[in-house]
Amino acid sequence: MKNSWKVAQWEILRNLTNKQFIIGLLITPLIMALFIVVPVLLERWNQPATTTYYVVDELGAAEALQAFLPENIVLEKQSASADLAQLVKEGKARGYFILDESFPLSGQLDLFYNDRNTQSMNTLRQALSALLQHLRLELSEVSPEQLAFVTAPAQVRQVPLEEELEPEAMHLVVSSVFAMLIFFLIFSSAAMLMQSALQEKRDRMAEVVLSSIRPSALMQGKIIGHFILGLIQLGFWLVLGLPLAIYFLDFSLLEALRGVNLAAILFFGLGGYLLYSALFVGLGATMEDVRSAGNAQGLVVMLPMLAFLFIGPVFNNPDGSMAVFASIFPLTSSTIMMLRSGLTVVPLWQLLTSGALLLVTSYAAMRAAAKIFRVGMLMYGKSATPKEILRWLRYKES
């Protein structure tokens, strides 16, 4: 273990003095902020264009219809004798329709258009539906108050017998943020591990290092070192981001942290990191360079993305069979279990089963990665094939 810590310290110091690492540490939060802030600003600045529709108002309801429309959709009355189709083709309006006296009874209307802006047409269709309902109420001599009374939904107030059963938005937000941070830590740190192994193979440093320490100690030191580097990154970004979130979002951070299971979040985050780090460092030892990676090695790189396949089922039905499976399956449990903890009360047996499977799988992955690492780091000239990797796994440790 002493040699592992020496390797970890060397990995930490090497990266902390690397200009690329420092630049990435500073630029990444700016890029993330841009991806969050810029879409909001663009949506705010994106003012809808004015859309004009011609209407032949035989019913005398154009003013009532205009009241159901937003300001950017304008109705312009025209006479039935005008060549409306030609005017629309010339671009003076997006389309035209006729409000005739049969509309309240039939509910049918032809909208002639010469534009592919489906959003404005959908808005106009909704306004016409509201107008039709209003006209039919007048024909039926039913007041809007009576209709609202008859069609009012049941007011059901959910009262949990236990306070912790009540889902709160802040708990979901904290769980989701931690899940995304852990996922980013897994992906970024594991990728750095793979690049580190590749670089040492190219520079032939592995031959010198492995002559003085065991391959397992070198691999453990790399995993520990890059895990600490990942924590430094996350800590730096949280120091920058949390004060801004508290100030702009009026978010009660301490109350939210008390409401989530931090122990479970840290356990599954660490377990997922160990699992994927072992897979990625073993993967790096099998490749000559990233460009020569085979299909099987490319699939391993995509394994952390498996959890995103279950995001929809988990949010829609957090106690469903798919959500339970994804929170127990070791390759997805590190992310999905944290999300479920913010959506529902996860049974104790599921937490224990998922945690045990994650630990066993992480241990098995680290043992397998150590065997692959021992042989792969000394192989040059080509990337290993799946058949060669399976043969390495059958080697007995001396």
Side-chain angles (χ1 to χ4, degrees), residues 1 4 193 214-227 269-283 285 330-331 357-375 389 392-393 395 397:
M1 193 64 185
S4 297
L193 269 169
R214 293 173 59 87
S216 59
L218 176 60
M219 188 191 72
Q220 291 172 5
K222 284 181 170 297
I223 292 175
I224 294 172
H226 283 273
F227 176 68
L270 178 60
Y273 173 80
L274 293 176
L275 172 60
Y276 283 110
S277 293
L279 292 176
F280 273 61
V281 74
L283 176 66
L331 295 179
L357 284 176
L358 183 59
L359 286 179
V360 171
T361 307
S362 299
Y363 176 76
M366 293 186 72
R367 290 292 301 270
K371 292 183 178 182
I372 296 173
F373 191 82
R374 180 180 59 180
V375 182
I389 295 173
W392 298 349
L393 291 175
Y395 289 164
E397 296 184 7

Side-chain angles (χ1 to χ4, degrees), residues 13-52:
L13 292 176
R14 183 181 68 168
N15 283 278
L16 287 179
T17 55
N18 189 322
K19 292 182 179 179
Q20 292 182 346
F21 179 83
I22 296 175
I23 292 173
L25 186 68
L26 298 174
I27 291 181
T28 301
L30 296 178
I31 295 175
M32 295 176 66
L34 285 177
F35 275 101
I36 295 173
V37 175
V38 171
V40 175
L41 293 178
L42 291 178
E43 183 65 26
R44 183 176 298 177
W45 294 336
N46 183 25
Q47 299 296 331
T50 301
T51 302
T52 301

Side-chain angles (χ1 to χ4, degrees), residues 39-155:
V40 175
L41 293 178
L42 291 178
E43 183 65 26
R44 183 176 298 177
W45 294 336
N46 183 25
Q47 299 296 331
T50 301
T51 302
T52 301
Y53 286 98
Y54 292 146
V55 55
V56 178
D57 188 15
E58 299 177 357
L59 194 61
E63 289 77 10
L65 178 59
Q66 184 67 70
F68 292 114
L69 290 168
E71 295 181 356
N72 64 298
I73 298 181
V74 178
L75 299 179
E76 185 175 322
K77 291 183 181 181
Q78 294 287 344
S79 64
S81 60
D83 190 358
L84 299 181
Q86 183 61 33
L87 292 174
V88 170
K89 289 179 181 180
E90 293 174 357
K92 297 182 179 180
R94 298 290 179 89
Y96 73 93
F97 58 93
I98 301 173
L99 275 177
D100 55 27
E101 296 181 355
S102 64
F103 176 67
L105 295 177
S106 66
Q108 296 180 357
L109 181 145
D110 292 329
L111 174 61
F112 301 92
Y113 67 95
N114 193 35
D115 184 68
R116 295 181 179 179
N117 187 350
T118 58
Q119 183 177 2
S120 63
M121 286 192 288
N122 290 334
T123 304
L124 179 59
R125 184 181 295 110
Q126 294 173 2
L128 286 168
S129 298
L131 175 65
L132 178 63
Q133 185 184 59
H134 177 72
L135 294 174
R136 285 179 172 177
L137 282 176
E138 292 182 349
L139 291 176
S140 303
E141 297 182 353
V142 177
S143 66
E145 292 78 12
Q146 290 174 324
L147 179 66
F149 177 76
V150 173
T151 60
Q155 302 294 325

Side-chain angles (χ1 to χ4, degrees), residues 159-173:
V159 182
L161 296 177
E162 298 180 15
E163 184 177 353
E164 61 269 17
L165 292 177
E166 184 178 6
E168 294 189 18
M170 65 176 63
H171 298 168
L172 176 59
V173 170

